[in-house]
Amino acid sequence: MKPLTKSFLSLFLPLLTLSVIIFTIFFMTDHKGRKKGLEDREKINIVQQQKIIRNDIRSIATDLMILANHQHLHFVHKNQDDTDTERKTVSKEFLHFARQKKIYDQVRLLDSKGMELIRVNDNDGKPAIVPRDGLQPKGKRYYFQDTINLQKGEIFVSPFDLNIEKGVVEEPRKPMIRIGTPIFHDNLTKSGIVILNYKGKDLLNKIDELKEYATGHIMLLNRDGYWLRGRSPDEEWGFMFKDKKKISFANTFSEAWGKINQKDSGQFTGTKGMYTFTTIYPLEEGLKSSTGSPEAFARSASSLSPQKYYWKLVSHIPKDILAKQVHPTKVHYLLLNCLFAMILAFGCWLAANAKQQRIQAERELRKNEQKLKEAQQIAKLGHWEHNIETDTLSWSEEVYRIFEIKPQQFSGTLEAFWEKVHPDERRHVLKAYTESIENNTQYDIEHRILLDNGTEKWVHEVCKTEYSNTGEPIRSLGIIHDITEIKALRGIIPICSKCHKIRDDEGYWQQVDQYLTVHSAAKLSHGMCVQCSDELYGGQDWYEEAKRNGDIPSS
């Protein structure tokens, strides 16, 4: 794998993993928040509608008891001739009541045999009293039979079903809840019943109004799982029609119904979406009901206790709608993640490329530094830096080699450097350095240094000093060159042909040994040539003897 690719992957993969984790956390947090908000809204809507429906049932029961205790209802047990006036009075009261309430399709008074004595029909919002020849016998209807068997103060609430006229379901359909109570003569003898046909459409309309604030389908189910208000009219009231007995929520959503019918309220997500439900118990203490019957003249199968007479108010959010609500930005998250990954990849590629270029540059720099070190070592050239403000002196490796010491042997101060300068040269070197700083000129000097082993070397130093904005010296940067070998005598040297003195660069004649000491790194050992020896000691016995023995060269 190429270094650039390897570097790119080492940057990109961890960052991509981290970004995916971060985006996933954000997505899941948003998902949970949206789902929690959706669940809470559905619960609030369902509970609010439950309260509205229960309050409506209480209001209807109150209306019924007011009518049942009307002071003129005692005419029911009297002879026909004595009741006309009171019948008219009660009829008008019922009519006035229907006009004020506007929620009852029928307000009726039946005698103990089930014959209608008074009936006020709503007539599509225009209540009217039905003439006597329009009154019908209802003695065989389940709601009459169930109501007439109640005790004083008890109230019958019918199952929520459709109104039946002349043996068939009335069209257009009229959802009804019949609520009735028996009336008594002298508080002892049952003389009939008062019954109200509550227009169930009003209750269902309130459920429909709830749909405006709900995300899913709001449905009202009876205790057997049939739709009273469904997703469409075709699903509703299946139990009222022989050919629709199988059309029910319980059959269509059997898995969900199994859970909903187990508890009074709850919320869960199934294979077909999310369900929020609650149970409405219309019956309170003193209220009775029965199973009812879809047949016109059939009896109820059985009576129901308050806990067995209930409706289920259900909100169902289908799976596709739930996904859109809970994950409305799922695609956006994915696109954003992909876009971020592309940007991240581009950035990582640039970073990896820059890193490789930096590594290559560092590698080249190290090579160049090594070459420089080798070149400096060959040329015996080092560099140094003097921080004037802190009086610290730093040397390169070659400087230490020139002075033939290790870094730990040098304290790194200018004073320590002066100790390495030849004693005869210190004043001259210090003066040159000080004047270069004061005059802002280049420091350029050749001088001798004295090694720890006593050896002398010649060096050539050049430096330039940097200054602050206020003109204060900050630091000096310089080089030092070992010129010991260069200082070896070369070229033409002027020498006296008689006394053999040598003329220096300033025009002064110096003894040979003095000149060599100053202008070279050579050490002199004094001896005597044969000619001078013969001149000084020739003719002396010891000298001649030494020559014969070979102790003194003869030439």
Side-chain angles (χ1 to χ4, degrees), residues 34-35 38 41 215 317 320-328:
R34 290 177 181 273
K35 186 175 182 181
L38 181 62
R41 288 197 303 274
T215 303
I317 303 178
D320 56 339
I321 297 178
L322 179 63
K324 291 178 181 179
Q325 289 292 320
V326 176
H327 305 295

Side-chain angles (χ1 to χ4, degrees), residues 85-281:
T85 300
E86 291 173 314
R87 182 193 297 268
K88 291 178 180 180
T89 300
V90 175
S91 296
K92 290 179 180 179
E93 292 289 341
F94 278 20
L95 178 62
H96 178 74
F97 172 82
R99 286 173 176 172
Q100 292 295 319
K101 291 294 183 177
K102 299 179 182 180
I103 60 173
Y104 300 109
D105 185 67
Q106 292 180 347
V107 180
R108 292 181 289 174
L109 174 66
L110 284 69
D111 64 17
S112 59
K113 302 296 185 182
M115 184 63 194
E116 293 179 337
L117 300 178
I118 298 175
R119 186 173 77 202
V120 176
N121 287 344
D122 179 65
N123 292 331
D124 295 326
K126 298 177 181 180
I129 299 172
V130 177
R132 284 192 179 185
D133 57 1
L135 300 176
Q136 300 177 16
K138 300 293 183 180
K140 293 183 180 181
R141 297 300 304 273
Y142 75 87
Y143 55 81
F144 169 77
Q145 295 172 4
D146 291 338
T147 304
I148 198 67
N149 289 324
L150 298 179
Q151 300 301 315
K152 184 175 179 60
E154 292 184 329
I155 296 175
F156 169 78
V157 180
S158 75
F160 197 176
D161 57 17
L162 299 176
N163 192 47
I164 295 177
E165 288 292 339
K166 299 179 181 179
V168 296
V169 174
E170 184 179 3
E171 293 290 347
R173 296 176 183 177
K174 287 187 177 181
M176 291 292 169
I177 299 176
R178 299 164 191 85
I179 180 167
T181 188
I183 57 175
F184 291 79
H185 171 61
D186 295 332
N187 293 326
L188 297 174
T189 306
K190 292 179 184 177
S191 55
I193 68 169
V194 175
I195 190 162
L196 303 176
N197 283 19
Y198 171 68
K199 291 189 290 186
K201 185 177 180 181
D202 289 347
L203 186 148
L204 298 177
N205 287 341
K206 291 178 180 179
I207 294 177
D208 292 339
E209 291 173 2
L210 181 62
K211 292 180 180 179
E212 297 180 8
Y213 307 98
T215 303
H217 302 299
I218 303 297
M219 299 172 284
L220 185 65
L221 314 175
N222 68 8
R223 63 190 296 270
D224 296 318
Y226 283 97
W227 278 292
L228 305 179
R229 176 59 90 207
R231 298 170 298 180
S232 68
D234 294 337
E235 295 177 334
E236 299 168 354
W237 313 105
F239 63 95
M240 296 293 295
F241 303 94
K242 290 182 179 180
D243 59 341
K244 291 186 176 183
K245 295 290 185 181
K246 293 184 180 180
I247 301 178
S248 68
F249 180 91
N251 289 331
T252 306
F253 300 92
S254 57
E255 178 187 357
W257 177 248
K259 295 181 179 180
I260 292 172
N261 208 29
Q262 292 286 328
K263 301 170 64 177
D264 281 349
S265 62
Q267 189 174 63
F268 63 91
T269 300
T271 57
K272 295 184 178 181
M274 187 173 78
Y275 302 86
T276 306
F277 65 94
T278 190
T279 305
I280 300 173
Y281 293 97

Side-chain angles (χ1 to χ4, degrees), residues 479-502:
I479 61 169
I480 183 169
H481 186 199
D482 184 354
I483 59 172
T484 303
E485 293 181 0
I486 298 176
K487 291 294 286 186
L489 294 177
R490 291 190 178 96
I492 299 174
I493 301 174
I495 187 169
C496 177
S497 58
K498 186 177 186 304
C499 66
H500 302 295
K501 290 182 179 180
I502 297 175

Side-chain angles (χ1 to χ4, degrees), residues 3-4 6-7 10 351-367:
L4 180 59
K6 185 177 180 180
S7 180
S10 66
N353 189 51
K355 181 180 178 181
Q356 287 303 117
Q357 290 181 352
R358 187 181 69 253
I359 292 174
Q360 184 64 27
E362 291 174 350
R363 188 179 293 116
E364 292 296 327
L365 179 61
R366 286 193 294 270
K367 286 183 179 179

Side-chain angles (χ1 to χ4, degrees), residues 454-465:
T455 304
E456 294 181 3
K457 284 187 178 182
W458 280 89
V459 296
H460 178 206
E461 287 193 273
V462 179
C463 88
K464 184 69 175 176
T465 301

Side-chain angles (χ1 to χ4, degrees), residues 28 75 94 412 453:
M28 294 306 297
F75 80 90
F94 278 20
N453 60 9

